[in-house]
Structures are given as structure tokens and as C-alpha cells.
Amino acid sequence: MQLPNEFVTKYKKLMGAEADEFLSALAQSSYSGFRENPLKNGQPVATIEKATGKVPYVSTGYYGQVNGKSLDHVTGWVYSQEPSAMFVGEVVNPQAGERVLDLCAAPGGKTTHLVAKMNNQGLLVANEIFPKRAKILAENLERWGAKNAVVTSESPADLEKQFPQYFDRILVDAPCSGEGMFRKEPAGIEYWSPEYPAECANRQQKILASAMKMLKPGGTLVYSTCTFAPEEDEQNISWLLNNYPDLKLIPIEKASGMDDGRPEWADGNEELKKTVRLFPHHLKGEGHFIAKLVNGEPESTEKKCKKKNKRKKQSIVKPDKEQIKLFNQFATSVFPDYQPHQLILFGDQLYDLPLEEDKIEGLNVLRPGLHLGTFKKNRFEPALAWALASLPQEANQVIELSQEQWHQYVHGDVINIDADLPNGWYLLVCEEHTTGFGKLVGKTIKNFYPKGLRF
């Protein structure tokens, strides 16, 4: 990896006596990691056995690589995530029942961490401005088994109009110059220039200004980047503190190998030591910066709060009586205890919306909660997302698959069984992993695994 000369010069000056060790670390191999999913039915033993160690500051984190076609990964029992990035979710630490916003959420590593910490209770709005990345975010949340997440694809400036002073916690994992990921993603070096961090900082400040309009009085804001650049890190926190006097930095409890923020890289404010820097020459992971702030009573924003979002991108439709009947027939036979928040339709797709209806009106929403299924002519077909968000013990009708049968299932094949069971829909389970739905006719399970996911 060839670092730009201007980058080397900059960090030799900033890092001083540490510079050689710091630059040498960037020439070493990066670390891979994964988190286990506490929302599932147990530990992903098969994947954990291949781990190379435990991430000390994340109870669910491990070093090691994940097989993307393994049962653990395909059913959302593990999520592949760089070890340093895992610390962000630990700092946010959302609680069950809170309203949480992940403002720059794709591809979803930190978002899935937040969902798990919330135990699928409360509301998580996961936003990504770029639609293609938002689609990946929605897919990762589905695999993880998220029930309480709404995925939007909006600019922060548009989102702020819909959610004035609404969220208990907001994570701004800001798009940045990516210096901390150079050894993991060397292609990022091509985009770097001496001016790039300042350009990113300007964009980040606009995102933060929108976030502040959506944060409740007394709410928590966590700002993170994967860059070393002071312009995007300490200097942006100084900008926040100077422009929002009610904001206060909260000390972050640092694990071994984590560094204080550097006040001398900004305006000298000693409070900046409460932020945290993760350097690759001190920690087994890539470069990160994290700050945690609490919001006091803000100035009146009554005028802004009354501002309505007049764009009409999405309107709410409720299922009709016949559709409700079809849904209830399925739910009664397979998930008799399931209690939806509120049922809404997007076209012929049925979702369980964990949010007030007026909040999604006018927004570009990719995933308005848990996808329950699709209405077709005189029938209801359950969605994979509902299966992945469920536990085997929650279902009345379950068929156990062997590993060989699971491979047939994800390949899209029809599966034959020996047991004598009533015809109908069943939750398919392999080694306690919920894998999807199948419809039993005689001794044949018709395969409803989505064609786009088959392998």
C-alpha cells in the first residue's frame, strides 16, 4: 500500500514520536471480526469455534472471518463487522423502548448492533440517503431479524422536517475521508487529497445540524467517523460545542488500547479528552473516532416544529377486511400469539409498522417495519423476514430440517419428508435456526425461499 506523500507528512507532524509506529501499523494486515446475534435462539457455535479470539470491549464480538453461505450467516445469527466499528454501538447503548435514529446507516453493521441492544423494542429509524445502499441496509436488517426498524432513504435536511425533537438517541456515523480504513480498503486512498478532510467536515456539519433538530431535549448524540483527520473529528466536536451551548460531552469509558481525543488538534478545549480515538498501532482494529454528547434544553424551535413535509412520496393504506381475514388465518395457524403494532400495505405487501402513521407519510420508505408477507389472489404468502424475526418456540407449526434439507431449501428445491403432518404453512427450522417458510402438501414441502437469495 502506497500512502500519499501529503498524508505521510501531515501525520508525521501530528503524531510526533508516534508517527513511525502509526505509519508502520497502516502497512500491516487489517483485522476481521463478527458479532453474534442475541435476538436469536442460542450461540452460533459453529462460527465461534473458528474465531481467533474475543473482542474485549464487546460482549458479542469476536475476531475472525465468517462464511457468508453458512447457516449462521444466512439466518442472521452472526454479522461480519470490523472490530473497531463494534465499539460505536456500545457507546450509543440504546435502551429498549427508546426512539433511536441511525442517520447514515448503510450497510447496517452498527444498525444491527443497536437493534440487538434495544431487544427489538421501541423504534429504530435507519436512514441512508443513497437508495442502492438503503436497499442493502434493509436486507441486512431483515436477515438480522429486526422487528422495530423502519428504513428510509432521505437527506438529513428532509428528514428533520418530519421528526422535530423526536429521538432519544441519534447516531451520526458520518460519511468521511475514510483514512482509518486505508489498510482494509486501499481503494479509498485514490479519493484522498489534502483538501478532502475539510470538504468532508463541511458536509458532516450540515448532517450534524439536521441531527440536532431531531434530538430531544436531554437526548444523546453519538458522532463517529472512521478517519484520523482532526478536521472531521475533534474540530467538528469543537464546532458542535461552540454552536450548541446546551451540548455537553459525556466521558466514554475506554478499554485498554483506546486513546483520549486530542484537544491540541482542535481549539485546545480539554473537554475533548472525553472523546475516544482508536489507533491501529494501539488496538487490534482500524481507525475510529467517537464522541458522545447530551443535549440540554434547546432554544425554542416551535416555528420549525410546525413545519410540515409536503412531499408526497408515500401514503398509508390499510388492509381491507378480506386481507385481514387471510392474514389472521395464517397467523392463527402458525403464530397464534403474534400481536402486530399496526398493519399497513405497500402495494400488495403487508408490514407491521412500529411508528406513528403520520411520521412515514411523505417519506421515501424502503422498509416500514417488519415485512409480514404478500397478498395474492385469495391467499396470503408469509415473508422470509417474518420467519427470520421469529423463534422456533413462537410457532405452532414447525418442521425440522436436516443440514442436507437446508441446503436443498436455500437452493430452491422441493423437499420431501417422511412424517405424517397436516397440510399447510410451516416454519422451517434447522438446528434451532429459523430459516423460512414452506407449504406442506402431502409429504412435499413447497419452497418459498426468495429466488434472489438462492445459492
Side-chain angles (χ1 to χ4, degrees):
M1 180 178 65
Q2 184 64 45
L3 294 168
N5 291 333
E6 297 94 333
F7 177 91
V8 173
T9 300
K10 175 180 180 178
Y11 284 97
K12 279 189 173 181
K13 181 177 179 181
L14 285 171
M15 300 295 289
E18 287 184 83
D20 288 344
E21 188 183 3
F22 167 72
L23 293 169
S24 176
L26 294 183
Q28 306 303 313
S29 298
S30 62
Y31 287 91
S32 298
F34 64 89
R35 285 181 294 104
E36 61 178 309
N37 188 347
L39 301 175
K40 299 295 183 176
N41 217 38
Q43 276 201 318
V45 176
T47 303
I48 288 175
E49 285 177 346
K50 298 175 183 177
T52 58
K54 193 80 177 56
V55 176
Y57 44 84
V58 184
S59 62
T60 56
Y62 296 83
Y63 297 104
Q65 293 189 325
V66 169
N67 177 356
K69 293 184 178 181
S70 66
L71 178 63
D72 283 340
H73 184 266
V74 171
T75 58
W77 281 46
V78 294
Y79 191 100
S80 182
Q81 188 177 29
E82 188 277 313
S84 290
M86 297 179 191
F87 191 56
V88 177
E90 295 294 308
V91 173
V92 179
N93 194 29
Q95 303 300 300
E98 290 184 333
R99 294 171 174 173
V100 180
L101 171 64
D102 189 349
L103 190 50
C104 314
K110 299 176 179 71
T111 320
T112 56
H113 199 164
L114 303 184
V115 167
K117 282 191 165 288
M118 297 172 74
N119 197 28
N120 254 332
Q121 299 173 39
L123 169 70
L124 176 64
V125 175
N127 183 69
E128 171 55 49
I129 189 171
F130 298 107
K132 286 185 179 179
R133 286 171 54 80
K135 184 174 182 293
I136 295 169
L137 168 66
E139 290 169 352
N140 283 330
L141 281 168
E142 176 177 299
R143 184 168 50 81
W144 190 250
K147 295 180 181 178
N148 66 328
V150 173
V151 177
T152 59
S153 182
E154 293 285 351
S155 71
D158 283 333
L159 209 62
E160 73 183 45
K161 301 168 190 173
Q162 204 81 344
F163 296 102
Q165 296 186 8
Y166 186 81
F167 293 102
D168 299 294
R169 295 176 198 253
I170 296 178
L171 169 60
V172 176
D173 183 43
C176 66
S177 58
E179 294 174 357
M181 294 290 153
F182 278 177
R183 70 178 185 180
K184 185 173 185 287
E185 300 170 3
I189 297 172
E190 299 174 16
Y191 300 99
W192 191 89
S193 70
E195 298 75 31
Y196 191 37
E199 294 170 10
C200 291
N202 182 59
R203 181 168 64 246
Q204 291 153 357
Q205 288 174 12
K206 292 176 182 177
I207 294 171
L208 286 166
S210 291
M212 287 302 300
K213 292 176 182 176
M214 293 184 275
L215 188 64
K216 276 184 178 180
T220 299
L221 172 68
V222 173
Y223 174 75
S224 64
T225 73
C226 57
T227 187
F228 306 115
E231 300 94 322
E232 303 172 69
D233 295 343
E234 287 90 352
Q235 291 174 29
N236 264 347
I237 301 305
S238 291
W239 175 85
L240 270 176
L241 294 173
N242 291 332
N243 283 276
Y244 299 91
D246 292 303
L247 274 180
K248 305 294 181 188
L249 275 167
I250 301 173
I252 297 172
E253 186 176 348
K254 301 173 177 73
S256 176
M258 296 182 182
D259 290 70
D260 293 344
R262 307 286 179 98
E264 65 274 19
W265 290 359
D267 58 3
N269 184 349
E270 289 296 306
E271 285 289 293
L272 294 172
K273 288 184 178 179
K274 294 177 179 177
T275 66
V276 61
R277 276 187 169 274
L278 279 61
F279 285 116
H281 61 300
H282 290 163
L283 194 81
K284 290 172 63 176
E286 308 314 296
H288 262 74
F289 172 87
I290 311 169
K292 188 172 188 177
L293 307 101
V294 65
N295 185 30
E297 289 290 338
E299 295 178 10
S300 173
T301 55
E302 183 180 355
K303 201 167 186 180
K304 291 179 181 177
C305 290
K306 290 181 178 179
K307 190 174 181 180
K308 296 293 182 183
N309 188 347
K310 295 181 179 179
R311 297 167 304 135
K312 288 292 178 184
K313 293 184 181 178
Q314 206 78 60
S315 59
I316 303 300
V317 178
K318 297 289 187 70
D320 60 31
K321 288 183 180 179
E322 183 60 28
Q323 290 169 325
I324 291 290
K325 179 182 176 182
L326 292 170
F327 169 76
N328 284 337
Q329 285 173 350
F330 171 85
T332 301
S333 64
V334 182
F335 292 121
D337 296 327
Y338 186 77
Q339 297 293 325
H341 298 87
Q342 49 191 326
L343 299 175
I344 65 165
L345 282 174
F346 272 22
D348 57 2
Q349 307 297 311
L350 184 68
Y351 285 85
D352 184 359
L353 176 69
L355 176 65
E356 304 97 313
E357 293 175 19
D358 65 312
K359 291 299 182 184
I360 126 183
E361 195 91 45
L363 290 179
N364 185 20
V365 179
L366 278 74
R367 185 188 194 269
L370 177 60
H371 186 199
L372 296 176
T374 306
F375 289 109
K376 299 193 174 180
K377 189 175 182 180
N378 299 321
R379 70 184 193 276
F380 173 77
E381 290 185 3
L384 174 64
W386 195 359
L388 295 178
S390 304
L391 299 177
Q393 59 266 31
E394 295 171 345
N396 257 10
Q397 299 189 168
V398 174
I399 292 178
E400 298 279 349
L401 302 181
S402 66
Q403 273 272 358
E404 181 181 351
Q405 288 173 320
W406 176 72
H407 284 292
Q408 291 175 328
Y409 178 66
V410 295
H411 192 256
D413 302 333
V414 169
I415 301 170
N416 296 312
I417 64 170
D418 295 326
D420 290 316
L421 296 170
N423 289 344
W425 287 100
Y426 286 80
L427 182 68
L428 305 181
V429 176
C430 179
E431 298 177 1
E432 298 189 65
H433 297 60
T434 53
T435 65
F437 293 106
K439 192 169 188 180
L440 185 65
V441 180
K443 293 196 172 185
T444 298
I445 301 173
K446 291 188 176 181
N447 196 324
F448 285 83
Y449 195 66
K451 291 181 180 179
L453 298 179
R454 293 176 182 178
F455 63 92

